[in-house]
Structures are given as structure tokens and as C-alpha cells.
Amino acid sequence: MDIDQDKRLELVRLQIKFSLLELIELFISKEVDAQLDIHRLNSDGHYVAKPWIKREISTGISFDTFRSEGFIPPVGIDINTDGYADMLSSANGKGIEVYLGGGKKPYSNRAAIQNFPTVGVIHFADFNDDKLPDFILFDPQNFDAPIQLGVNRGILPVYTHQGIRKD
């Protein structure tokens, strides 16, 4: 993915380690830990060994349903339509967290959180024709759970292509 809009693809790696220690941690904390690393491309065409961005992501696991507590984070969604891919999390089934791309440290700080149940599957589209991505969230394994439609109000900060934040 081109994370920083420099017309060069970055290497995005998501790694989940499965060791005895991780398995014990899973049973104690009921969470799976993943490491997100983003590597930039050198001028010689090779990716830099040290990650440009490094993030720990934890997802809760329900032992009752044997699935994640929230939705699987989508890749490549530009929620604030500034041209940079943003990162969304389900806050372990308790809300939507938005980590903005762009700037000098993409995804380093949470820009927004909306608290509500987020178990299930999330899909993004512009449902109200305002050029902003909205979402629909539903739980395909629970027919009693409501289908939720989220309307993007366009209040998140955006970044210019020079990396300067504007409101």
C-alpha cells in the first residue's frame, strides 16, 4: 500500500506469533496479539529492514463463540478522505477507534472513538452520497443483533499532501 502518498508502495506486514507463551497469554487474557510493521522502500528498490511504523494490535477472543470480540480491522479505508489510508479498530467489540494515516507518524495516536457494540462484520460505502465513507455493521451469527448504519459526519482532521494538519 502507498501509506504516505509518495507514489511508492510500502510493505505492510501483520504478524501473529503462536508460541507456548502466546497460547498461555491467550487463555489468560482472552486476546490475540498481532504486530503491524510498515516498511518503506529504499531508492535501490529494497525495503528497509527496520519498520517505519510499528504497532501492537490486540483483538479479544470469545471462548463462547470462538471468534473475535469485534470486527476484523479493514485495510485501506480512507475514513476522512484526505488521500491517506486510515486504520480502524473495533476496541474489542466495544466501539470504533480511528487511527489516521498521514503526517509524520501515521497511526500513532487515536483520533476518535465511538463507543457501541461492534461485534460482527463491517463494510464501508458512501450510503448518503456525500463523498464520505459510511459503514454498515452486522453480526451474521446473531440474527437478534441490530444492523447498524454509521454515517460519517466529516469531523475528523485531515492531512494535506505536504503532511501539514488542517481542520
Side-chain angles (χ1 to χ4, degrees):
M1 292 180 61
D2 186 3
I3 301 293
D4 56 3
Q5 298 295 312
D6 65 353
K7 308 271 191 266
R8 294 167 42 165
L9 296 178
E10 281 76 36
L11 174 65
V12 180
R13 296 183 345 163
L14 185 64
Q15 180 180 22
I16 301 173
K17 294 182 181 177
F18 285 105
S19 65
L20 182 58
L21 183 60
E22 292 292 327
L23 189 60
I24 292 169
E25 182 183 346
L26 169 66
F27 286 118
I28 291 172
S29 68
K30 296 183 180 179
E31 289 185 347
V32 172
D33 296 329
Q35 177 72 39
L36 174 71
D37 292 340
I38 300 174
H39 300 264
R40 280 192 158 152
L41 193 62
N42 273 338
S43 58
D44 65 0
H46 294 91
Y47 287 100
V48 179
K50 183 180 177 187
W52 169 47
I53 299 170
K54 190 173 194 146
R55 291 264 335 202
E56 293 283 333
I57 302 171
S58 295
T59 301
I61 301 293
S62 169
F63 290 142
D64 295 331
T65 62
F66 294 106
R67 61 189 183 132
S68 66
E69 289 286 340
F71 60 80
I72 303 298
V75 176
I77 300 295
D78 182 7
I79 200 77
N80 59 350
T81 65
D82 63 357
Y84 298 101
D86 303 315
M87 187 172 79
L88 285 86
S89 164
S90 67
N92 286 330
K94 298 180 180 97
I96 289 185
E97 297 176 309
V98 178
Y99 296 87
L100 297 177
K104 294 186 186 219
K105 293 187 175 186
Y107 318 123
S108 60
N109 296 316
R110 184 176 65 199
I113 184 169
Q114 178 91 28
N115 292 313
F116 61 94
T118 55
V119 175
V121 178
I122 192 165
H123 291 284
F124 287 86
D126 184 7
F127 293 112
N128 58 356
D129 292 328
D130 65 354
K131 309 288 188 256
L132 295 170
D134 307 307
F135 69 85
I136 189 165
L137 180 71
F138 63 96
D139 188 347
Q141 296 183 4
N142 183 357
F143 296 122
D144 295 328
I147 295 174
Q148 301 178 80
L149 175 65
V151 177
N152 187 341
R153 298 185 310 160
I155 60 172
L156 290 170
V158 298
Y159 289 91
T160 67
H161 289 288
Q162 291 81 26
I164 299 167
R165 194 174 193 156
K166 66 178 184 178
D167 293 327

